[in-house]
Amino acid sequence: MSGGDGVIMVAGAGPAGLMLAAELTLAGAEVMVVDALPERSPYCRGFTLNARSLELLDRRGIAGRFLAEGPTVPSSMFADPARPLDLTVMDSDHPYVLGIAQTRVEELLEEWLAELGVKVSWGHAVTDLEQDAGGVEVTVERTDGVGGAGGSLRRARVAYLVGCDGSRSLVRKRAGIAFPGTPATTFGVLADVELADPAALPFGMTKGERGTVFVIPRPGYVRIVLNEPEPPADRDEPVTLASFERLLAEQLGRPVELREPRWLTRFGDAARLAERYVAGRVALAGDAAHIHPPTGAVGVNVALADAVNLGWKLAATALGRAPEGLLHSYHEERHAAGERLLSTIGAQAALGGHDPGLAPVRDLFAQLVDRVPGVGKYLAELATGVSTRYDPKIPGEHPWLGRLVPDLELTLDGRRTSVAELLRRARPLLLRLGERPLPAAAGGWVDTCDARCPGRPELEGLLIRPDGHAAWVSTTSEPQPDSTLATALATWFGASCGPVRQEGRFETG
Ligand SMILES: Cc1cc2nc3c(=O)[nH]c(=O)nc-3n(C[C@H](O)[C@H](O)[C@H](O)COP(=O)(O)OP(=O)(O)OC[C@H]3O[C@@H](n4cnc5c(N)ncnc54)[C@H](O)[C@@H]3O)c2cc1C
């Protein structure tokens, strides 16, 4: 286990850790990824990637790999499975949800990371850390038996450590980051099993005598999900096939025979948010930073969004080219996104729950979605993160400012390209698009590119962060002064305005 003064260690090779490691590598940082498990877990928690994830993966040129793996569905549940939200109304390049196993998402990300030259060190658990002004001393234990007794503990000194180590994050605890929120009060159990008689239980939702049963078809098996009527005495007590069958029979009022159990587990509705996403040289992403009930099926997606926000900022900080406060903006932006996430999921869980007192609210809510234009779009974009807007820290009214720039078609040097294609290098991008002569970016690492956007001729210029969000937008109807471009360049990239346009050049900072 060798670290290094400039190395960033990522603890955990789930969706957050894999995506983050790839983003850091693209941005030029030296990365090592460790995971406590000897190999990837075969148990699959999630089955979906949403619009925002596909948009982000598109901006790295790899969305196609994921889209090739499963069906896309143009609707998704918000709270009531009988009233799915229409996703086609979203302002998104991918207005649908992709059905894909989380385990497959992780495999594809790990393959991509390997192509970038980084291999995951499986069987390495972070067990302790100590940070000082110059770095982090990390203790790592071999959990795969290699090294033998006494030889399995190693120390590595790294520049930064990121805890992508899931909901029970050791990194979060050892860094002393509080995790306030609400503990689990209700629990669900799930079973990945086969039905002895496939006709015994239909797919979808079945309302039984004492509860509601969800059956999700999977290739060769089904996932059955139930609520436990009482909190378990010991939440870590294993769920067995017999105990699951008993609960299922109680809720349906009839027995259903199950066989070939693949995975039986329990999950709770705890909702917590890390008080700080960055503490000195330690940062958190994914479930390590936030937990919530699985309602809404967004955990993987939020983990990817955290990683894409953090990657370029942390790499710039480690490489010594970040302006003051850049890393802290990860906390500001994603902690706020986490607060919105918890409040949205809280609403979804309440509306989708069994409280009869909420029946009139459910009714009213359904009327609002059905009858008031724009409500469905608002909810769909909120639940998928598509409407996420980060404070651009400059004045301006353009609706894209702070948001993910759409994948505009562009022409560059006589060939067709797009915003997503130009962002594959994960570098900041200044697009000079109109007739007005704009300065280039100077003194930083920002690419300046002269292109045309035939579909949006009013665009004069766009400054785009590596995560795809607009840091500056100027149009012919609302031209922004060069001084605000200079502020945006300095705020996000420590760069400044250089020479005014020299046509047809793609200049790298
Ligand atoms: C029942 C259920 C269904 C779900 N369905 C969906 C869904 O449909 N869609 C969706 O988007 N999300 C879903 N989720 C949520 C989703 O699974 C998580 O939000 C997601 O896995 C979080 O990714 P992560 O990378 O942050 O953490 P994890 O995926 O938990 O990865 C953490 C990694 O860190 C490793 N690790 C732990 N401790 C250490 C350590 N000390 N040192 C080194 N490595 C360590 C672990 O081995 C693991 O590989 C579901 C969750 C549950 C429980």
Side-chain angles (χ1 to χ4, degrees), residues 403-467:
R403 291 177 196 264
L404 195 83
V405 176
D407 187 16
L408 306 166
E409 280 202 7
L410 305 171
T411 52
L412 175 68
D413 295 337
R415 71 174 181 90
R416 286 172 67 149
T417 182
S418 69
V419 164
E421 198 179 320
L422 292 180
L423 282 171
R424 284 181 190 174
R425 289 154 34 105
R427 290 169 64 100
L429 182 63
L430 173 59
L431 282 174
R432 301 190 293 193
L433 298 168
E435 298 301 325
R436 176 179 148 203
L438 290 176
W445 37 294
V446 183
D447 291 341
T448 302
C449 180
D450 289 314
R452 286 287 179 269
C453 183
R456 305 298 293 250
E458 77 280 13
L459 286 171
E460 288 185 333
L462 279 170
L463 179 63
I464 309 177
R465 307 189 329 180
D467 56 15

Side-chain angles (χ1 to χ4, degrees), residues 252-271:
L252 290 172
R254 62 186 168 85
V256 171
E257 192 187 336
L258 309 174
R259 59 185 186 201
E260 302 295 332
R262 289 163 165 77
W263 188 36
L264 294 145
T265 191
R266 170 181 291 111
F267 54 90
D269 64 348

Side-chain angles (χ1 to χ4, degrees), residues 167-191:
S167 56
R168 297 183 182 192
S169 172
L170 178 127
V171 172
R172 185 186 66 231
K173 290 172 192 155
R174 288 289 194 276
I177 300 175
F179 202 37
T182 51
T185 52
T186 63
F187 292 84
V189 278
L190 75 75

Side-chain angles (χ1 to χ4, degrees), residues 341-402:
L341 170 77
L342 260 53
S343 119
T344 306
I345 288 178
Q348 288 176 283
L351 286 167
H354 302 288
D355 182 349
L358 284 181
V361 182
R362 275 182 213 111
D363 231 36
L364 182 64
F365 195 78
Q367 287 173 41
L368 289 172
V369 175
D370 289 347
R371 296 186 196 165
V372 181
V375 171
K377 178 174 187 283
Y378 177 85
L379 292 174
E381 292 184 349
L382 177 71
T384 53
V386 162
S387 55
T388 301
R389 179 180 185 274
Y390 301 134
D391 179 2
K393 301 185 190 241
I394 53 164
E397 298 298 322
H398 197 280
W400 294 351
L401 196 58

Side-chain angles (χ1 to χ4, degrees), residues 465-483:
R465 307 189 329 180
D467 56 15
H469 285 253
W472 183 80
V473 185
S474 185
T475 63
T476 47
S477 56
E478 283 179 63
Q480 301 299 309
D482 291 358
S483 59

